[in-house]
Amino acid sequence: MHVHSYEKIWLGLALGLILLLIGSVTYGAVGPGVAMVAADQPTVDPTALDEDDRFAEPRVERVGENEYEAYVVAYQFGFSPDPIVVPANSTVTIMVTSRDVTHGFEVVGTNANTMVIPGEVSTITVETGEPTEYGILCNEYCGAAHHTMEGKLEVVPQEEFDASNEDGDGDE
Ligand code: CUA
């Protein structure tokens, strides 16, 4: 079969585009800084979060010396708690689930970024430094007000964290 040279160029370009697409999809799936939901995470019933020990009361809890766990619920169109207040210079494991549709959880300016899927618990561990404040964004389209869905992560001095937790749920 005779193929004109300009047709060869177009064929080559089309092939190149296909390879580029496959490449970018692969990179998106395994690329650095993107936490995917692990298959072995405990699952949760998104319609019964009220009855779940972790998510009935979204909060930040101390689990060890300088170790904390944050239980966060994403919903249309926000995050709870908001702000998420964590102590400085600590290890914080953030567990996020959704009570409605798929959302994103991205701590702006860091590589803490995960998808939040109803029925799944996404886990990210962060090391906090000095007191500061981060924005949290939803980066998965989740409905009409997706672009307004945001939260705050506040890193506060240890004393401030302890004080605010004492007059909170009083379990200290
Ligand atoms: Cu939640 Cu977009």
Side-chain angles (χ1 to χ4, degrees):
M1 183 177 83
H2 177 76
V3 182
H4 283 289
S5 58
Y6 67 86
E7 279 180 307
K8 281 185 195 159
I9 292 170
W10 281 112
L11 279 172
L13 283 176
L15 199 66
L17 274 176
I18 290 166
L19 290 177
L20 198 68
L21 181 72
I22 293 170
S24 67
V25 168
T26 308
Y27 179 80
V30 301
V34 183
M36 298 303 285
V37 176
D40 60 357
Q41 290 298 322
T43 51
V44 64
D45 180 356
T47 62
L49 292 184
D50 304 358
E51 291 150 35
D52 189 280
D53 290 344
R54 295 160 297 174
F55 300 106
E57 207 187 305
R59 66 197 181 277
V60 178
E61 214 172 73
R62 185 174 173 186
V63 293
E65 184 76 21
N66 286 324
E67 278 180 48
Y68 296 82
E69 283 181 357
Y71 305 102
V72 178
V73 175
Y75 59 92
Q76 287 168 314
F77 294 95
F79 299 95
S80 172
D82 186 24
I84 302 167
V85 179
V86 298
N89 306 306
S90 303
T91 304
V92 184
T93 303
I94 304 173
M95 277 164 253
V96 201
T97 194
S98 166
R99 70 169 186 229
D100 38 46
V101 301
T102 298
H103 297 282
F105 180 94
E106 177 181 352
V107 183
V108 179
T110 74
N111 65 356
N113 182 10
T114 186
M115 247 173 122
V116 182
I117 300 167
E120 305 277 347
V121 178
S122 305
T123 303
I124 334 178
T125 300
V126 299
E127 302 286 338
T128 64
E130 294 306 303
T132 182
E133 195 177 293
Y134 296 98
I136 294 172
L137 281 183
C138 172
N139 53 19
E140 292 288 331
Y141 182 75
C142 55
H146 157 71
H147 62 283
T148 67
M149 182 168 169
E150 56 187 27
K152 255 185 212 156
L153 176 68
E154 282 179 20
V155 182
V156 301
Q158 185 74 55
E159 316 80 69
E160 200 176 307
F161 178 84
D162 293 342
S164 66
N165 270 37
E166 269 156 36
D167 46 54
D169 46 19
D171 57 3
E172 297 269 327

